[in-house]
Amino acid sequence: MTRVLSCIQPTGPVHLGNYLGALRNWVSGQHECDAFHGIVDLHALTVTDRPGVVGENTLELAATLFAVGLDPEVATVFVQSHVPEHTQLGWIMECTVSYGELSRMTQFKDKAAKREADFVSAGLFTYPALQAADILLYDADDVPVGEDQRQHIEITRDIAERFNTRFGATFVVPKMVTPKAGAKVTDLQDPTSKMSKSSGGDAGIVYLHDDPSVIMKKFKRAVTDSDSEVHFDRAHKPGVSNLLEILAACTGRSPEEVAAGYQQYGPLKNDTGEAVVEVLRPIQERHRSLLEDRAELSRLLRRGAEKARVVASSTLARAYRNIGLLPLDV
Ligand code: TYM
């Protein structure tokens, strides 16, 4: 059975990009695959310095993952800091990746530039090594993510191959999987940039918990183009193409098929907003009721961590053995 692993950071509310680019694929894949999904709280520490925030976001995010449809009876949902093997293998990954490779990571360059005068942690720089550990610990075949993770998955493959060459076959070399529509949802106000928790304002970001009226307003005000023709062309018509792709993702069609049904921007914006509201409505209801029982969420996460540790500890032991670290009992 194909093993799947993917994770999300608890750095703030989940948005439509996270949902269409990743979470929806996790839910649809959980019944055919052996699925592991992590809330990577230690990754969030690269940009967090206030006490308590990450823990609270983690519980909130757990409720979101179950609300979108991850079934704790089927998928293994865990918190990264509950599985200490992640940081243990993370160090080994740091010793298997080069300074030059990490320096070429565009996400590091972008995030460091955005933080400018702020504190830029070494963790922000070594982040891809910990991400490689997240993936390789689970012998994952597939990693379902959005397009923005491509460089991180490629470096993970390079690290796995390098380790296997140095120390013998140890890790599965994973492959990236993206959805047909929704792999790169862009900001509704700035359609050349991806929709992102770290972007400037909220007007172009649709959050999973936004009220229907707020969602409709955000779509009605979405930036389109100066001409008025509806067709799918990411390069020349980024705003309209983003709407077409969102509507396609919500209705299971291709963006080109969707485009054929519209002559004007107004109805396209309206229908896209309505489709998103309908997709999110049941998720919002489930999220509210899940958050009412924090003890149950915590119980589900404990079970997830136990299941994750069975796999993670055996992979870590294999890596130690193949490196030839001195065992406790010789
Ligand atoms: P994160 O937390 O930023 O995002 C979680 C998932 O959402 C996808 N995504 C998007 N997809 C389409 N359009 C967008 N605008 C958009 N924004 C975000 C991301 O591609 C991701 O799949 N580094 C990762 C977390 C991570 C991870 C891992 C992922 C840590 N370890 C191991 C996979 C496997 C991140 O920051 O994702």
Side-chain angles (χ1 to χ4, degrees), residues 7 9 15 17-18 21-22 127 131 134 145-146 148-149 182-183 185 195:
C7 305
Q9 293 195 71
H15 56 68
N18 299 128
Y127 181 113
Q131 178 158 349
D134 300 336
V145 284
D148 63 337
Q149 295 301 311
V185 176
M195 190 176 282

Side-chain angles (χ1 to χ4, degrees), residues 8-15 18 44 47-48 53-54 56-58 60-61 64 197-198 207 209:
I8 179 166
Q9 293 195 71
T11 39
V14 172
H15 56 68
N18 299 128
V47 292
T48 313
V53 177
V54 172
E56 200 46 48
N57 284 347
T58 299
E60 167 91 15
L61 183 50
T64 302
K197 296 172 216 172
S198 57
Y207 294 107
H209 66 233

Side-chain angles (χ1 to χ4, degrees), residues 254-328:
S254 73
E256 290 83 359
E257 270 175 86
V258 174
Y262 293 92
Q263 268 86 47
Q264 288 171 316
Y265 294 159
L268 172 63
K269 289 181 182 182
N270 191 65
D271 290 0
T272 308
E274 280 180 358
V276 169
V277 166
E278 284 321 308
V279 166
L280 296 188
R281 194 188 303 280
I283 296 175
Q284 295 184 341
E285 282 163 15
R286 279 196 297 270
H287 186 245
R288 273 191 288 272
S289 76
L290 280 158
L291 262 184
E292 280 165 16
D293 193 348
R294 292 165 68 97
E296 172 63 4
L297 283 173
S298 159
R299 192 187 66 80
L300 295 176
L301 292 175
R302 171 182 287 275
R303 244 192 53 220
E306 283 162 7
K307 286 201 278 175
R309 284 203 77 181
V310 173
V311 179
S313 60
S314 116
T315 312
L316 182 70
R318 194 196 317 143
Y320 277 19
R321 204 166 48 242
N322 291 357
I323 294 170
L325 291 175
L326 187 68
L328 199 54

Side-chain angles (χ1 to χ4, degrees), residues 121-138:
S121 66
L124 200 58
F125 185 67
T126 59
Y127 181 113
L130 184 57
Q131 178 158 349
D134 300 336
I135 299 170
L136 300 183
L137 270 180
Y138 295 91

